[in-house]
Amino acid sequence: MDIDINKDWKKNITLFLASQTISLFGSMLVQYAITWYITLKTKSGTMMTISIICGFLPTFFISPFAGVWADRYNRKILIMVSDSLIALATFILAVLFFMGYDSIWLIFIVLIIRAFGSGVQIPAINALIPKLVPDDKLTKINAVNSSIQSLVLLLSPMLSGALLTMASIEAIFFIDVVTAAIAVLLLLLFLHVPFQARSVEKQSMTYFEDMREGIKYINSHSFVKALFIFCAIYYVLITPLSFLTPLQVTRSFGDDVWRLTAVEVAYSVGMMAGGIIMTSWGGFQNKIHTMALSNFIIAICTFGLGAVPVFWIYLFLMALIGLVTPMFNTPFIVWLQQKVEQNFLGRVFGVLNMILSSTMPLSMIVYGPVADYIKIEWLLIGSGFSMLILNFFMIDSKVLIEAGKPVSGE
């Protein structure tokens, strides 16, 4: 891969991660506030499904273009513009709430706009990191980033829950606006990114030709295609764990905000510890083995979340899921960053974002309404068992086993 890493890479990646951490903190405060606002106000699986569709499906439609943009244009500028768009939408929502227009449907509209912004931002971020970091440091940096994000996820629900009991939801919206502004200014004034060759070249292909080239690249690399197929199935199976557990806690253990906060804190503490483990350990030599171990433990714990009647055991299982999540996400992202050519990296991550943003909300079209008639515990037991079956197919894939072997320098 042709990567121009300058001698100031440590300074640049520190500035970049700092800006993204600040931005993420504000976004997570809003995300938790919105989720709990809808959960506590409606207690409806259908309304949760609508919010998830609004928060994810627009990303599916923008991702093909976002992947092309991330390969064509300055990735730092794309991140700044998308952050600004998200902040503007949140600011307008805060003003409307202050004026008394506090309809849940307004939240859904803003979730759509925020999803468009995230859809542009995510491929650009994942494609930019390899331009800032030496190849042999990618696992460590991604693991460090995972730990930082986990710390934010640990603090955000506690602070968001505390703020919801002391202040209005629109006050939390304004915090997101301020953090986004700080993040954008950090990137604008201090981060110097190596030039991306295609960003200064005259483009000879149309957007759709660029998209087709990206799809052709994925189809011609069997490990990428196989990895994406497995991930699509995995995301379908993990949807109840990701989106229905707050509703399950509310129905089965009580609708206290502290319970919802405790679940998020348990998961975040586990994830932060998992990120630290991955920073020092790095995973097995073969990345698919690390991912398979993570999937196996998550499957067992998901099954357990549907079976345990005691809230403290429920929290322990959630913490364990958090612990092993970086063992799936980190090798997966690094795998793509190391193996995919730099000129195609944005489009590959764009397609991955399409998979993420479509499989889970489309799955919720089924899971959400079903959760109003069938106990969520049964959905978790079923999905946990199915993940175990998927795991056997993953570790039996010769294509993934071969591609998962370490690259030189690791």
Side-chain angles (χ1 to χ4, degrees):
M1 291 169 61
D2 181 22
I3 304 176
D4 179 20
I5 306 294
N6 64 44
K7 62 181 180 180
D8 295 325
W9 73 267
K10 290 183 179 179
K11 173 187 172 185
N12 282 337
I13 193 61
T14 301
L15 281 168
F16 181 72
L17 293 183
S19 72
Q20 295 311 295
T21 300
I22 293 168
S23 176
L24 178 66
F25 181 67
S27 293
M28 286 298 97
L29 285 179
V30 169
Q31 197 62 47
Y32 285 118
I34 287 175
T35 300
W36 295 344
Y37 182 83
I38 295 172
T39 300
L40 296 172
K41 191 168 184 177
T42 69
K43 296 183 181 179
S44 167
T46 301
M47 296 301 284
M48 286 296 296
T49 300
I50 294 172
S51 70
I52 290 164
I53 291 172
C54 291
F56 277 81
L57 206 53
T59 304
F60 171 81
F61 294 108
I62 198 66
S63 287
F65 298 96
V68 173
W69 295 336
D71 285 335
R72 281 191 174 201
Y73 305 123
N74 188 308
R75 290 163 182 167
K76 184 180 86 167
I77 299 298
L78 286 174
I79 294 167
M80 291 164 54
V81 169
S82 58
D83 239 348
S84 300
L85 174 66
I86 293 170
L88 178 61
T90 308
F91 175 77
I92 293 171
L93 180 63
V95 171
L96 289 173
F97 264 58
F98 264 125
M99 294 172 63
Y101 301 101
D102 57 355
S103 169
I104 285 180
W105 295 101
L106 281 175
I107 292 179
F108 292 159
I109 292 171
V110 171
L111 284 174
I112 291 171
I113 298 171
R114 289 172 65 91
F116 275 120
S118 295
V120 174
Q121 193 175 49
I122 292 170
I125 289 173
N126 285 325
L128 179 60
I129 288 177
K131 292 289 286 182
L132 300 176
V133 179
D135 197 67
D136 62 336
K137 303 295 184 184
L138 279 172
T139 296
K140 186 172 184 177
I141 293 300
N142 278 282
V144 167
N145 190 31
S146 176
S147 295
I148 294 171
Q149 290 178 354
S150 302
L151 179 60
V152 173
L153 292 173
L154 169 63
L155 298 175
S156 297
M158 292 189 290
L159 184 55
S160 185
L163 287 172
L164 276 175
T165 61
M166 297 184 296
S168 61
I169 191 171
E170 52 265 30
I172 302 176
F173 294 158
F174 277 118
I175 293 174
D176 186 32
V177 176
V178 173
T179 54
I182 295 171
V184 169
L185 286 174
L186 275 176
L187 292 183
L188 178 64
L189 299 176
F190 302 108
L191 181 65
H192 304 289
V193 179
F195 272 113
Q196 185 180 329
R198 289 196 71 197
S199 68
V200 294
E201 294 174 356
K202 184 177 180 180
Q203 304 300 328
S204 58
M205 289 191 290
T206 66
Y207 282 109
F208 290 102
E209 286 172 335
D210 252 349
M211 286 180 205
R212 283 197 294 270
E213 285 295 309
I215 298 296
K216 189 185 299 182
Y217 181 90
I218 293 170
N219 282 329
S220 64
H221 290 73
S222 56
F223 92 91
V224 180
K225 183 165 63 173
L227 192 60
F228 280 12
I229 290 171
F230 276 110
C231 281
I233 300 170
Y234 177 76
Y235 290 135
V236 169
L237 297 178
I238 208 170
T239 297
L241 171 64
S242 300
F243 294 118
L244 290 178
T245 47
L247 197 58
Q248 179 199 12
V249 169
T250 301
R251 290 177 178 177
S252 301
F253 298 108
D255 60 0
D256 308 287
V257 172
W258 75 265
R259 293 185 188 275
L260 296 173
T261 305
V263 170
E264 297 296 339
V265 168
Y267 176 80
S268 299
V269 168
M271 197 170 171
M272 186 167 58
I276 294 171
I277 290 171
M278 284 299 295
T279 301
S280 57
W281 172 41
F284 296 117
Q285 281 198 323
N286 194 309
K287 291 181 176 64
I288 195 65
H289 292 157
T290 311
M291 293 169 65
L293 173 63
S294 170
N295 184 46
F296 176 78
I297 295 174
I298 290 173
I300 296 296
C301 290
T302 301
F303 188 97
L305 290 177
V308 299
V310 181
F311 185 63
W312 301 110
I313 301 176
Y314 188 96
L315 290 180
F316 171 77
L317 293 175
M318 193 62 74
L320 191 54
I321 290 171
L323 180 73
V324 299
T325 294
M327 297 176 193
F328 187 94
N329 294 337
T330 301
F332 178 53
I333 297 298
V334 172
W335 202 349
L336 294 177
Q337 289 173 339
Q338 289 179 334
K339 295 273 189 176
V340 175
E341 294 174 30
Q342 184 63 219
N343 284 341
F344 287 93
L345 202 52
R347 279 166 285 179
V348 169
F349 275 114
V351 172
L352 175 62
N353 220 24
M354 288 175 65
I355 293 170
L356 263 172
S357 59
S358 60
T359 51
M360 299 181 90
L362 288 175
S363 299
M364 275 300 292
I365 292 176
V366 177
Y367 285 126
V370 167
D372 286 335
Y373 298 95
I374 295 176
K375 291 180 69 173
I376 295 172
E377 283 79 357
W378 288 110
L379 296 177
L380 291 169
I381 289 171
S383 61
F385 181 75
S386 300
M387 275 191 276
L388 281 176
I389 296 174
L390 176 66
N391 208 46
F392 289 116
F393 284 100
M394 285 180 66
I395 59 178
D396 194 46
S397 171
K398 293 179 180 178
V399 171
L400 293 181
I401 291 292
E402 182 61 31
K405 292 178 180 178
V407 299
S408 58
E410 277 194 296

